Amino acid sequence: MFTGIVTAIGTIESVEKRGDTRVNVACPFDPEAIDIGASIACSGVCLTVVTLEGTRGDARIGFDVSGETVSRTVPGMWEAGRKLNLEPALKLGDELGGHLVTGHVDTVGEVVSKREKGGSWQFAIRISRAFAPFVAEKGSITVDGVSLTVNDVRDRKDGTCDFGLNIIPHTYEVTTLGNLAEGDHVNLEIDVLARYLKRMQSLANAS
């Protein structure tokens, strides 16, 4: 489990095709504090550490990315040079600064607008019809691994919806969200509580 609070930005240095896709990520973590087999969220995707080297502040971490993961995440995400939001797995006793995040991407959304207002940045993200019912005003959602609060929801006639986000300067600067532009795509994970509520509602309606 994760909280959606990004602790570092990593860069994919190299990619190897070997059945699954091996990605090697450079980041400022301390390799002595990470175990082989540990889980790290990479822009919202829970991946397992399979190789580890480097020194404190200059770590090199290898992950194997399955074909299933590649198919469900942002196109072109697993390429050399790509910046990734990184978060180690939550430990018992850690502060829950964001919300409970599983690291399982549900769908890919599109940035349909971005504008600065009062020092912050306002984004509108479009989500597909299948997942639009899970997005609620003042609810939580994970965008590229970042825990955010939904400001508003605008339903569209085709069943999709655009939801608004306010990105404060700190988040804009210490995550990859500051690099996003209109037309870019992002990994989305809906709130796990919304998922269970939707399931309970569907069972109640069927009875």
PDB file of all heavy atoms in Angstrom, residues 1-3 96 98-102 104 106 127 131 133-143 147-150 163 188-199:
ATOM      1  N   MET A   1       0.838  -1.192   0.000  1.00  0.00           N
ATOM      2  CA  MET A   1       0.000   0.000   0.000  1.00  0.00           C
ATOM      3  C   MET A   1       0.879   1.250   0.000  1.00  0.00           C
ATOM      4  O   MET A   1       2.009   1.248   0.486  1.00  0.00           O
ATOM      5  CB  MET A   1      -0.923   0.020   1.223  1.00  0.00           C
ATOM      6  CG  MET A   1      -1.898  -1.132   1.314  1.00  0.00           C
ATOM      7  SD  MET A   1      -3.112  -1.129  -0.003  1.00  0.00           S
ATOM      8  CE  MET A   1      -4.113   0.287   0.450  1.00  0.00           C
ATOM      9  N   PHE A   2       0.288   2.337  -0.531  1.00  0.00           N
ATOM     10  CA  PHE A   2       0.987   3.614  -0.623  1.00  0.00           C
ATOM     11  C   PHE A   2       0.035   4.715  -0.162  1.00  0.00           C
ATOM     12  O   PHE A   2      -1.132   4.469   0.156  1.00  0.00           O
ATOM     13  CB  PHE A   2       1.440   3.863  -2.064  1.00  0.00           C
ATOM     14  CG  PHE A   2       2.258   2.742  -2.635  1.00  0.00           C
ATOM     15  CD1 PHE A   2       1.653   1.700  -3.334  1.00  0.00           C
ATOM     16  CD2 PHE A   2       3.632   2.716  -2.470  1.00  0.00           C
ATOM     17  CE1 PHE A   2       2.402   0.659  -3.845  1.00  0.00           C
ATOM     18  CE2 PHE A   2       4.390   1.683  -2.979  1.00  0.00           C
ATOM     19  CZ  PHE A   2       3.771   0.644  -3.671  1.00  0.00           C
ATOM     20  N   THR A   3       0.535   5.949  -0.121  1.00  0.00           N
ATOM     21  CA  THR A   3      -0.302   7.076   0.295  1.00  0.00           C
ATOM     22  C   THR A   3      -0.471   8.117  -0.795  1.00  0.00           C
ATOM     23  O   THR A   3      -1.229   9.057  -0.625  1.00  0.00           O
ATOM     24  CB  THR A   3       0.289   7.770   1.541  1.00  0.00           C
ATOM     25  OG1 THR A   3       1.516   8.414   1.175  1.00  0.00           O
ATOM     26  CG2 THR A   3       0.549   6.776   2.658  1.00  0.00           C
ATOM     27  N   LEU A  96      -0.103   8.732   7.328  1.00  0.00           N
ATOM     28  CA  LEU A  96      -0.938   8.590   6.134  1.00  0.00           C
ATOM     29  C   LEU A  96      -1.267   9.988   5.634  1.00  0.00           C
ATOM     30  O   LEU A  96      -2.313  10.549   5.914  1.00  0.00           O
ATOM     31  CB  LEU A  96      -2.217   7.802   6.456  1.00  0.00           C
ATOM     32  CG  LEU A  96      -3.125   7.438   5.284  1.00  0.00           C
ATOM     33  CD1 LEU A  96      -2.381   6.556   4.285  1.00  0.00           C
ATOM     34  CD2 LEU A  96      -4.376   6.717   5.771  1.00  0.00           C
ATOM     35  N   GLY A  98      -1.655  11.144   2.466  1.00  0.00           N
ATOM     36  CA  GLY A  98      -2.566  11.293   1.337  1.00  0.00           C
ATOM     37  C   GLY A  98      -3.822  10.475   1.573  1.00  0.00           C
ATOM     38  O   GLY A  98      -4.617  10.777   2.462  1.00  0.00           O
ATOM     39  N   HIS A  99      -3.997   9.400   0.778  1.00  0.00           N
ATOM     40  CA  HIS A  99      -5.068   8.435   1.024  1.00  0.00           C
ATOM     41  C   HIS A  99      -4.532   7.065   0.642  1.00  0.00           C
ATOM     42  O   HIS A  99      -3.448   6.940   0.065  1.00  0.00           O
ATOM     43  CB  HIS A  99      -6.328   8.796   0.229  1.00  0.00           C
ATOM     44  CG  HIS A  99      -6.228   8.582  -1.249  1.00  0.00           C
ATOM     45  ND1 HIS A  99      -5.553   9.446  -2.102  1.00  0.00           N
ATOM     46  CD2 HIS A  99      -6.720   7.600  -2.055  1.00  0.00           C
ATOM     47  CE1 HIS A  99      -5.641   9.018  -3.343  1.00  0.00           C
ATOM     48  NE2 HIS A  99      -6.328   7.887  -3.349  1.00  0.00           N
ATOM     49  N   LEU A 100      -5.253   6.004   0.983  1.00  0.00           N
ATOM     50  CA  LEU A 100      -4.766   4.662   0.708  1.00  0.00           C
ATOM     51  C   LEU A 100      -4.750   4.401  -0.795  1.00  0.00           C
ATOM     52  O   LEU A 100      -5.768   4.510  -1.468  1.00  0.00           O
ATOM     53  CB  LEU A 100      -5.644   3.625   1.418  1.00  0.00           C
ATOM     54  CG  LEU A 100      -5.488   3.563   2.931  1.00  0.00           C
ATOM     55  CD1 LEU A 100      -6.481   2.560   3.517  1.00  0.00           C
ATOM     56  CD2 LEU A 100      -4.060   3.191   3.324  1.00  0.00           C
ATOM     57  N   VAL A 101      -3.577   4.054  -1.301  1.00  0.00           N
ATOM     58  CA  VAL A 101      -3.350   3.841  -2.723  1.00  0.00           C
ATOM     59  C   VAL A 101      -2.767   2.443  -2.910  1.00  0.00           C
ATOM     60  O   VAL A 101      -1.842   2.057  -2.184  1.00  0.00           O
ATOM     61  CB  VAL A 101      -2.375   4.911  -3.282  1.00  0.00           C
ATOM     62  CG1 VAL A 101      -2.026   4.633  -4.736  1.00  0.00           C
ATOM     63  CG2 VAL A 101      -2.970   6.306  -3.122  1.00  0.00           C
ATOM     64  N   THR A 102      -3.286   1.690  -3.874  1.00  0.00           N
ATOM     65  CA  THR A 102      -2.822   0.312  -4.065  1.00  0.00           C
ATOM     66  C   THR A 102      -1.682   0.192  -5.066  1.00  0.00           C
ATOM     67  O   THR A 102      -0.961  -0.802  -5.079  1.00  0.00           O
ATOM     68  CB  THR A 102      -3.969  -0.594  -4.543  1.00  0.00           C
ATOM     69  OG1 THR A 102      -4.404  -0.160  -5.846  1.00  0.00           O
ATOM     70  CG2 THR A 102      -5.147  -0.540  -3.573  1.00  0.00           C
ATOM     71  N   HIS A 104      -2.275   0.136  -8.326  1.00  0.00           N
ATOM     72  CA  HIS A 104      -2.859  -0.564  -9.472  1.00  0.00           C
ATOM     73  C   HIS A 104      -3.597   0.450 -10.341  1.00  0.00           C
ATOM     74  O   HIS A 104      -4.620   1.002  -9.930  1.00  0.00           O
ATOM     75  CB  HIS A 104      -3.827  -1.659  -9.010  1.00  0.00           C
ATOM     76  CG  HIS A 104      -3.156  -2.697  -8.161  1.00  0.00           C
ATOM     77  ND1 HIS A 104      -3.846  -3.467  -7.247  1.00  0.00           N
ATOM     78  CD2 HIS A 104      -1.857  -3.081  -8.081  1.00  0.00           C
ATOM     79  CE1 HIS A 104      -3.002  -4.291  -6.656  1.00  0.00           C
ATOM     80  NE2 HIS A 104      -1.796  -4.075  -7.127  1.00  0.00           N
ATOM     81  N   ASP A 106      -6.075   1.980 -12.821  1.00  0.00           N
ATOM     82  CA  ASP A 106      -7.386   1.579 -13.312  1.00  0.00           C
ATOM     83  C   ASP A 106      -7.608   1.964 -14.770  1.00  0.00           C
ATOM     84  O   ASP A 106      -8.196   1.211 -15.540  1.00  0.00           O
ATOM     85  CB  ASP A 106      -8.493   2.220 -12.455  1.00  0.00           C
ATOM     86  CG  ASP A 106      -8.538   1.643 -11.058  1.00  0.00           C
ATOM     87  OD1 ASP A 106      -8.780   0.434 -10.926  1.00  0.00           O
ATOM     88  OD2 ASP A 106      -8.310   2.405 -10.098  1.00  0.00           O
ATOM     89  N   ILE A 127     -11.847  11.423 -17.880  1.00  0.00           N
ATOM     90  CA  ILE A 127     -11.821  10.005 -17.541  1.00  0.00           C
ATOM     91  C   ILE A 127     -12.924   9.289 -18.309  1.00  0.00           C
ATOM     92  O   ILE A 127     -13.965   9.880 -18.615  1.00  0.00           O
ATOM     93  CB  ILE A 127     -11.967   9.800 -16.014  1.00  0.00           C
ATOM     94  CG1 ILE A 127     -11.653   8.361 -15.611  1.00  0.00           C
ATOM     95  CG2 ILE A 127     -13.339  10.227 -15.525  1.00  0.00           C
ATOM     96  CD1 ILE A 127     -11.521   8.167 -14.102  1.00  0.00           C
ATOM     97  N   PHE A 131     -15.254   4.593 -15.825  1.00  0.00           N
ATOM     98  CA  PHE A 131     -14.746   4.977 -14.508  1.00  0.00           C
ATOM     99  C   PHE A 131     -15.284   6.316 -14.017  1.00  0.00           C
ATOM    100  O   PHE A 131     -15.028   6.696 -12.868  1.00  0.00           O
ATOM    101  CB  PHE A 131     -13.215   4.993 -14.535  1.00  0.00           C
ATOM    102  CG  PHE A 131     -12.619   3.623 -14.659  1.00  0.00           C
ATOM    103  CD1 PHE A 131     -12.251   3.122 -15.903  1.00  0.00           C
ATOM    104  CD2 PHE A 131     -12.467   2.813 -13.555  1.00  0.00           C
ATOM    105  CE1 PHE A 131     -11.726   1.848 -16.034  1.00  0.00           C
ATOM    106  CE2 PHE A 131     -11.945   1.540 -13.661  1.00  0.00           C
ATOM    107  CZ  PHE A 131     -11.579   1.051 -14.905  1.00  0.00           C
ATOM    108  N   PRO A 133     -18.233   7.132 -12.955  1.00  0.00           N
ATOM    109  CA  PRO A 133     -19.051   7.071 -11.738  1.00  0.00           C
ATOM    110  C   PRO A 133     -18.252   7.001 -10.438  1.00  0.00           C
ATOM    111  O   PRO A 133     -18.800   7.231  -9.358  1.00  0.00           O
ATOM    112  CB  PRO A 133     -19.861   5.771 -11.938  1.00  0.00           C
ATOM    113  CG  PRO A 133     -19.875   5.549 -13.404  1.00  0.00           C
ATOM    114  CD  PRO A 133     -18.537   6.025 -13.875  1.00  0.00           C
ATOM    115  N   PHE A 134     -16.962   6.690 -10.523  1.00  0.00           N
ATOM    116  CA  PHE A 134     -16.145   6.563  -9.328  1.00  0.00           C
ATOM    117  C   PHE A 134     -15.525   7.882  -8.885  1.00  0.00           C
ATOM    118  O   PHE A 134     -14.873   7.935  -7.841  1.00  0.00           O
ATOM    119  CB  PHE A 134     -15.018   5.552  -9.575  1.00  0.00           C
ATOM    120  CG  PHE A 134     -15.487   4.146  -9.810  1.00  0.00           C
ATOM    121  CD1 PHE A 134     -15.688   3.676 -11.098  1.00  0.00           C
ATOM    122  CD2 PHE A 134     -15.740   3.289  -8.747  1.00  0.00           C
ATOM    123  CE1 PHE A 134     -16.120   2.380 -11.324  1.00  0.00           C
ATOM    124  CE2 PHE A 134     -16.164   1.987  -8.964  1.00  0.00           C
ATOM    125  CZ  PHE A 134     -16.352   1.530 -10.250  1.00  0.00           C
ATOM    126  N   VAL A 135     -15.705   8.938  -9.666  1.00  0.00           N
ATOM    127  CA  VAL A 135     -15.084  10.236  -9.354  1.00  0.00           C
ATOM    128  C   VAL A 135     -16.137  11.145  -8.731  1.00  0.00           C
ATOM    129  O   VAL A 135     -17.206  11.357  -9.305  1.00  0.00           O
ATOM    130  CB  VAL A 135     -14.504  10.882 -10.626  1.00  0.00           C
ATOM    131  CG1 VAL A 135     -13.803  12.191 -10.269  1.00  0.00           C
ATOM    132  CG2 VAL A 135     -13.529   9.929 -11.311  1.00  0.00           C
ATOM    133  N   ALA A 136     -15.824  11.680  -7.557  1.00  0.00           N
ATOM    134  CA  ALA A 136     -16.789  12.522  -6.846  1.00  0.00           C
ATOM    135  C   ALA A 136     -16.115  13.792  -6.346  1.00  0.00           C
ATOM    136  O   ALA A 136     -14.933  13.783  -5.978  1.00  0.00           O
ATOM    137  CB  ALA A 136     -17.395  11.765  -5.668  1.00  0.00           C
ATOM    138  N   GLU A 137     -16.877  14.878  -6.334  1.00  0.00           N
ATOM    139  CA  GLU A 137     -16.362  16.144  -5.820  1.00  0.00           C
ATOM    140  C   GLU A 137     -15.894  15.979  -4.381  1.00  0.00           C
ATOM    141  O   GLU A 137     -16.593  15.393  -3.548  1.00  0.00           O
ATOM    142  CB  GLU A 137     -17.464  17.210  -5.898  1.00  0.00           C
ATOM    143  CG  GLU A 137     -17.000  18.594  -5.480  1.00  0.00           C
ATOM    144  CD  GLU A 137     -18.078  19.646  -5.687  1.00  0.00           C
ATOM    145  OE1 GLU A 137     -18.997  19.417  -6.504  1.00  0.00           O
ATOM    146  OE2 GLU A 137     -17.986  20.703  -5.025  1.00  0.00           O
ATOM    147  N   LYS A 138     -14.684  16.452  -4.103  1.00  0.00           N
ATOM    148  CA  LYS A 138     -14.013  16.385  -2.802  1.00  0.00           C
ATOM    149  C   LYS A 138     -13.574  14.966  -2.444  1.00  0.00           C
ATOM    150  O   LYS A 138     -13.122  14.736  -1.314  1.00  0.00           O
ATOM    151  CB  LYS A 138     -14.879  16.982  -1.679  1.00  0.00           C
ATOM    152  CG  LYS A 138     -15.282  18.435  -1.918  1.00  0.00           C
ATOM    153  CD  LYS A 138     -14.070  19.309  -2.243  1.00  0.00           C
ATOM    154  CE  LYS A 138     -14.469  20.736  -2.603  1.00  0.00           C
ATOM    155  NZ  LYS A 138     -13.318  21.538  -3.053  1.00  0.00           N
ATOM    156  N   GLY A 139     -13.700  14.040  -3.387  1.00  0.00           N
ATOM    157  CA  GLY A 139     -13.157  12.711  -3.190  1.00  0.00           C
ATOM    158  C   GLY A 139     -11.686  12.686  -3.564  1.00  0.00           C
ATOM    159  O   GLY A 139     -11.116  13.683  -4.013  1.00  0.00           O
ATOM    160  N   SER A 140     -11.059  11.524  -3.373  1.00  0.00           N
ATOM    161  CA  SER A 140      -9.634  11.380  -3.673  1.00  0.00           C
ATOM    162  C   SER A 140      -9.417  10.613  -4.969  1.00  0.00           C
ATOM    163  O   SER A 140     -10.218   9.748  -5.331  1.00  0.00           O
ATOM    164  CB  SER A 140      -8.926  10.635  -2.527  1.00  0.00           C
ATOM    165  OG  SER A 140      -8.985  11.359  -1.329  1.00  0.00           O
ATOM    166  N   ILE A 141      -8.344  10.934  -5.658  1.00  0.00           N
ATOM    167  CA  ILE A 141      -7.944  10.205  -6.852  1.00  0.00           C
ATOM    168  C   ILE A 141      -6.424  10.291  -6.956  1.00  0.00           C
ATOM    169  O   ILE A 141      -5.813  11.241  -6.458  1.00  0.00           O
ATOM    170  CB  ILE A 141      -8.625  10.765  -8.122  1.00  0.00           C
ATOM    171  CG1 ILE A 141      -8.503   9.769  -9.286  1.00  0.00           C
ATOM    172  CG2 ILE A 141      -8.079  12.139  -8.492  1.00  0.00           C
ATOM    173  CD1 ILE A 141      -9.472  10.038 -10.429  1.00  0.00           C
ATOM    174  N   THR A 142      -5.832   9.278  -7.568  1.00  0.00           N
ATOM    175  CA  THR A 142      -4.383   9.255  -7.735  1.00  0.00           C
ATOM    176  C   THR A 142      -4.044   9.512  -9.198  1.00  0.00           C
ATOM    177  O   THR A 142      -4.522   8.801 -10.083  1.00  0.00           O
ATOM    178  CB  THR A 142      -3.799   7.897  -7.303  1.00  0.00           C
ATOM    179  OG1 THR A 142      -4.275   7.578  -5.993  1.00  0.00           O
ATOM    180  CG2 THR A 142      -2.284   7.938  -7.288  1.00  0.00           C
ATOM    181  N   VAL A 143      -3.236  10.532  -9.444  1.00  0.00           N
ATOM    182  CA  VAL A 143      -2.842  10.915 -10.798  1.00  0.00           C
ATOM    183  C   VAL A 143      -1.320  10.762 -10.911  1.00  0.00           C
ATOM    184  O   VAL A 143      -0.571  11.453 -10.217  1.00  0.00           O
ATOM    185  CB  VAL A 143      -3.251  12.369 -11.109  1.00  0.00           C
ATOM    186  CG1 VAL A 143      -2.806  12.756 -12.514  1.00  0.00           C
ATOM    187  CG2 VAL A 143      -4.753  12.551 -10.946  1.00  0.00           C
ATOM    188  N   SER A 147      -1.491  11.618  -4.804  1.00  0.00           N
ATOM    189  CA  SER A 147      -2.804  11.700  -4.160  1.00  0.00           C
ATOM    190  C   SER A 147      -3.335  13.125  -4.260  1.00  0.00           C
ATOM    191  O   SER A 147      -2.694  14.074  -3.809  1.00  0.00           O
ATOM    192  CB  SER A 147      -2.693  11.305  -2.682  1.00  0.00           C
ATOM    193  OG  SER A 147      -3.906  11.564  -1.992  1.00  0.00           O
ATOM    194  N   LEU A 148      -4.526  13.262  -4.862  1.00  0.00           N
ATOM    195  CA  LEU A 148      -5.117  14.582  -5.066  1.00  0.00           C
ATOM    196  C   LEU A 148      -6.594  14.577  -4.703  1.00  0.00           C
ATOM    197  O   LEU A 148      -7.246  13.528  -4.709  1.00  0.00           O
ATOM    198  CB  LEU A 148      -4.945  15.009  -6.530  1.00  0.00           C
ATOM    199  CG  LEU A 148      -3.499  15.190  -7.012  1.00  0.00           C
ATOM    200  CD1 LEU A 148      -3.454  15.320  -8.521  1.00  0.00           C
ATOM    201  CD2 LEU A 148      -2.849  16.402  -6.340  1.00  0.00           C
ATOM    202  N   THR A 149      -7.106  15.771  -4.411  1.00  0.00           N
ATOM    203  CA  THR A 149      -8.530  15.946  -4.114  1.00  0.00           C
ATOM    204  C   THR A 149      -9.243  16.497  -5.344  1.00  0.00           C
ATOM    205  O   THR A 149      -8.772  17.453  -5.961  1.00  0.00           O
ATOM    206  CB  THR A 149      -8.723  16.912  -2.931  1.00  0.00           C
ATOM    207  OG1 THR A 149      -8.075  16.368  -1.778  1.00  0.00           O
ATOM    208  CG2 THR A 149     -10.203  17.113  -2.628  1.00  0.00           C
ATOM    209  N   VAL A 150     -10.365  15.888  -5.675  1.00  0.00           N
ATOM    210  CA  VAL A 150     -11.167  16.336  -6.816  1.00  0.00           C
ATOM    211  C   VAL A 150     -11.915  17.604  -6.433  1.00  0.00           C
ATOM    212  O   VAL A 150     -12.688  17.620  -5.472  1.00  0.00           O
ATOM    213  CB  VAL A 150     -12.163  15.245  -7.244  1.00  0.00           C
ATOM    214  CG1 VAL A 150     -13.064  15.746  -8.375  1.00  0.00           C
ATOM    215  CG2 VAL A 150     -11.428  13.980  -7.654  1.00  0.00           C
ATOM    216  N   PHE A 163     -12.841  16.073 -14.559  1.00  0.00           N
ATOM    217  CA  PHE A 163     -12.770  16.456 -13.151  1.00  0.00           C
ATOM    218  C   PHE A 163     -11.627  17.449 -12.953  1.00  0.00           C
ATOM    219  O   PHE A 163     -10.583  17.379 -13.600  1.00  0.00           O
ATOM    220  CB  PHE A 163     -12.622  15.245 -12.224  1.00  0.00           C
ATOM    221  CG  PHE A 163     -11.390  14.401 -12.438  1.00  0.00           C
ATOM    222  CD1 PHE A 163     -10.202  14.681 -11.762  1.00  0.00           C
ATOM    223  CD2 PHE A 163     -11.423  13.310 -13.289  1.00  0.00           C
ATOM    224  CE1 PHE A 163      -9.080  13.902 -11.947  1.00  0.00           C
ATOM    225  CE2 PHE A 163     -10.302  12.515 -13.482  1.00  0.00           C
ATOM    226  CZ  PHE A 163      -9.123  12.811 -12.813  1.00  0.00           C
ATOM    227  N   LEU A 188      -4.349   6.817 -13.835  1.00  0.00           N
ATOM    228  CA  LEU A 188      -5.350   7.130 -12.816  1.00  0.00           C
ATOM    229  C   LEU A 188      -5.683   5.892 -11.988  1.00  0.00           C
ATOM    230  O   LEU A 188      -5.860   4.806 -12.533  1.00  0.00           O
ATOM    231  CB  LEU A 188      -6.638   7.651 -13.459  1.00  0.00           C
ATOM    232  CG  LEU A 188      -6.534   8.932 -14.291  1.00  0.00           C
ATOM    233  CD1 LEU A 188      -7.884   9.256 -14.932  1.00  0.00           C
ATOM    234  CD2 LEU A 188      -6.056  10.100 -13.428  1.00  0.00           C
ATOM    235  N   GLU A 189      -5.744   6.081 -10.688  1.00  0.00           N
ATOM    236  CA  GLU A 189      -6.263   5.046  -9.788  1.00  0.00           C
ATOM    237  C   GLU A 189      -7.395   5.657  -8.976  1.00  0.00           C
ATOM    238  O   GLU A 189      -7.195   6.647  -8.280  1.00  0.00           O
ATOM    239  CB  GLU A 189      -5.179   4.518  -8.841  1.00  0.00           C
ATOM    240  CG  GLU A 189      -5.721   3.448  -7.895  1.00  0.00           C
ATOM    241  CD  GLU A 189      -4.725   2.979  -6.845  1.00  0.00           C
ATOM    242  OE1 GLU A 189      -3.510   3.029  -7.119  1.00  0.00           O
ATOM    243  OE2 GLU A 189      -5.165   2.584  -5.753  1.00  0.00           O
ATOM    244  N   ILE A 190      -8.568   5.064  -9.081  1.00  0.00           N
ATOM    245  CA  ILE A 190      -9.714   5.571  -8.330  1.00  0.00           C
ATOM    246  C   ILE A 190      -9.579   5.195  -6.863  1.00  0.00           C
ATOM    247  O   ILE A 190      -8.841   4.273  -6.503  1.00  0.00           O
ATOM    248  CB  ILE A 190     -11.039   5.037  -8.913  1.00  0.00           C
ATOM    249  CG1 ILE A 190     -11.053   3.512  -8.885  1.00  0.00           C
ATOM    250  CG2 ILE A 190     -11.258   5.554 -10.328  1.00  0.00           C
ATOM    251  CD1 ILE A 190     -12.349   2.896  -9.334  1.00  0.00           C
ATOM    252  N   ASP A 191     -10.293   5.910  -6.023  1.00  0.00           N
ATOM    253  CA  ASP A 191     -10.266   5.656  -4.588  1.00  0.00           C
ATOM    254  C   ASP A 191     -10.817   4.261  -4.312  1.00  0.00           C
ATOM    255  O   ASP A 191     -11.892   3.894  -4.789  1.00  0.00           O
ATOM    256  CB  ASP A 191     -11.112   6.723  -3.876  1.00  0.00           C
ATOM    257  CG  ASP A 191     -11.010   6.654  -2.369  1.00  0.00           C
ATOM    258  OD1 ASP A 191     -10.357   5.735  -1.842  1.00  0.00           O
ATOM    259  OD2 ASP A 191     -11.595   7.523  -1.705  1.00  0.00           O
ATOM    260  N   VAL A 192     -10.083   3.471  -3.544  1.00  0.00           N
ATOM    261  CA  VAL A 192     -10.506   2.100  -3.254  1.00  0.00           C
ATOM    262  C   VAL A 192     -11.857   2.074  -2.545  1.00  0.00           C
ATOM    263  O   VAL A 192     -12.659   1.151  -2.736  1.00  0.00           O
ATOM    264  CB  VAL A 192      -9.424   1.361  -2.433  1.00  0.00           C
ATOM    265  CG1 VAL A 192      -9.264   1.966  -1.049  1.00  0.00           C
ATOM    266  CG2 VAL A 192      -9.724  -0.122  -2.356  1.00  0.00           C
ATOM    267  N   LEU A 193     -12.165   3.087  -1.744  1.00  0.00           N
ATOM    268  CA  LEU A 193     -13.466   3.136  -1.074  1.00  0.00           C
ATOM    269  C   LEU A 193     -14.596   3.302  -2.085  1.00  0.00           C
ATOM    270  O   LEU A 193     -15.662   2.704  -1.944  1.00  0.00           O
ATOM    271  CB  LEU A 193     -13.498   4.271  -0.050  1.00  0.00           C
ATOM    272  CG  LEU A 193     -12.528   4.142   1.130  1.00  0.00           C
ATOM    273  CD1 LEU A 193     -12.632   5.357   2.035  1.00  0.00           C
ATOM    274  CD2 LEU A 193     -12.829   2.873   1.921  1.00  0.00           C
ATOM    275  N   ALA A 194     -14.356   4.110  -3.120  1.00  0.00           N
ATOM    276  CA  ALA A 194     -15.362   4.292  -4.164  1.00  0.00           C
ATOM    277  C   ALA A 194     -15.610   2.978  -4.902  1.00  0.00           C
ATOM    278  O   ALA A 194     -16.733   2.668  -5.293  1.00  0.00           O
ATOM    279  CB  ALA A 194     -14.911   5.371  -5.144  1.00  0.00           C
ATOM    280  N   ARG A 195     -14.557   2.200  -5.075  1.00  0.00           N
ATOM    281  CA  ARG A 195     -14.685   0.911  -5.754  1.00  0.00           C
ATOM    282  C   ARG A 195     -15.621  -0.024  -4.975  1.00  0.00           C
ATOM    283  O   ARG A 195     -16.508  -0.666  -5.535  1.00  0.00           O
ATOM    284  CB  ARG A 195     -13.299   0.281  -5.892  1.00  0.00           C
ATOM    285  CG  ARG A 195     -13.258  -0.947  -6.785  1.00  0.00           C
ATOM    286  CD  ARG A 195     -11.946  -1.682  -6.603  1.00  0.00           C
ATOM    287  NE  ARG A 195     -10.790  -0.808  -6.664  1.00  0.00           N
ATOM    288  CZ  ARG A 195     -10.213  -0.448  -7.778  1.00  0.00           C
ATOM    289  NH1 ARG A 195     -10.674  -0.876  -8.939  1.00  0.00           N
ATOM    290  NH2 ARG A 195      -9.153   0.334  -7.753  1.00  0.00           N
ATOM    291  N   TYR A 196     -15.421  -0.089  -3.663  1.00  0.00           N
ATOM    292  CA  TYR A 196     -16.258  -0.965  -2.849  1.00  0.00           C
ATOM    293  C   TYR A 196     -17.700  -0.465  -2.769  1.00  0.00           C
ATOM    294  O   TYR A 196     -18.650  -1.250  -2.798  1.00  0.00           O
ATOM    295  CB  TYR A 196     -15.661  -1.104  -1.446  1.00  0.00           C
ATOM    296  CG  TYR A 196     -14.465  -2.007  -1.394  1.00  0.00           C
ATOM    297  CD1 TYR A 196     -13.221  -1.538  -0.997  1.00  0.00           C
ATOM    298  CD2 TYR A 196     -14.568  -3.360  -1.755  1.00  0.00           C
ATOM    299  CE1 TYR A 196     -12.112  -2.359  -0.965  1.00  0.00           C
ATOM    300  CE2 TYR A 196     -13.458  -4.190  -1.718  1.00  0.00           C
ATOM    301  CZ  TYR A 196     -12.237  -3.696  -1.325  1.00  0.00           C
ATOM    302  OH  TYR A 196     -11.142  -4.516  -1.286  1.00  0.00           O
ATOM    303  N   LEU A 197     -17.864   0.849  -2.682  1.00  0.00           N
ATOM    304  CA  LEU A 197     -19.221   1.401  -2.640  1.00  0.00           C
ATOM    305  C   LEU A 197     -19.978   1.096  -3.931  1.00  0.00           C
ATOM    306  O   LEU A 197     -21.171   0.778  -3.911  1.00  0.00           O
ATOM    307  CB  LEU A 197     -19.170   2.905  -2.388  1.00  0.00           C
ATOM    308  CG  LEU A 197     -18.791   3.339  -0.968  1.00  0.00           C
ATOM    309  CD1 LEU A 197     -18.564   4.841  -0.907  1.00  0.00           C
ATOM    310  CD2 LEU A 197     -19.892   2.925   0.017  1.00  0.00           C
ATOM    311  N   LYS A 198     -19.283   1.197  -5.075  1.00  0.00           N
ATOM    312  CA  LYS A 198     -19.908   0.891  -6.354  1.00  0.00           C
ATOM    313  C   LYS A 198     -20.324  -0.570  -6.421  1.00  0.00           C
ATOM    314  O   LYS A 198     -21.422  -0.908  -6.889  1.00  0.00           O
ATOM    315  CB  LYS A 198     -18.923   1.209  -7.484  1.00  0.00           C
ATOM    316  CG  LYS A 198     -19.451   0.923  -8.886  1.00  0.00           C
ATOM    317  CD  LYS A 198     -20.562   1.840  -9.278  1.00  0.00           C
ATOM    318  CE  LYS A 198     -20.947   1.647 -10.740  1.00  0.00           C
ATOM    319  NZ  LYS A 198     -22.087   2.499 -11.136  1.00  0.00           N
ATOM    320  N   ARG A 199     -19.479  -1.457  -5.914  1.00  0.00           N
ATOM    321  CA  ARG A 199     -19.793  -2.885  -5.898  1.00  0.00           C
ATOM    322  C   ARG A 199     -20.987  -3.164  -4.993  1.00  0.00           C
ATOM    323  O   ARG A 199     -21.900  -3.923  -5.354  1.00  0.00           O
ATOM    324  CB  ARG A 199     -18.564  -3.653  -5.405  1.00  0.00           C
ATOM    325  CG  ARG A 199     -18.798  -5.152  -5.185  1.00  0.00           C
ATOM    326  CD  ARG A 199     -19.146  -5.875  -6.445  1.00  0.00           C
ATOM    327  NE  ARG A 199     -19.214  -7.308  -6.207  1.00  0.00           N
ATOM    328  CZ  ARG A 199     -19.814  -8.163  -7.047  1.00  0.00           C
ATOM    329  NH1 ARG A 199     -20.366  -7.727  -8.175  1.00  0.00           N
ATOM    330  NH2 ARG A 199     -19.830  -9.448  -6.771  1.00  0.00           N
TER     331      ARG A 199
END
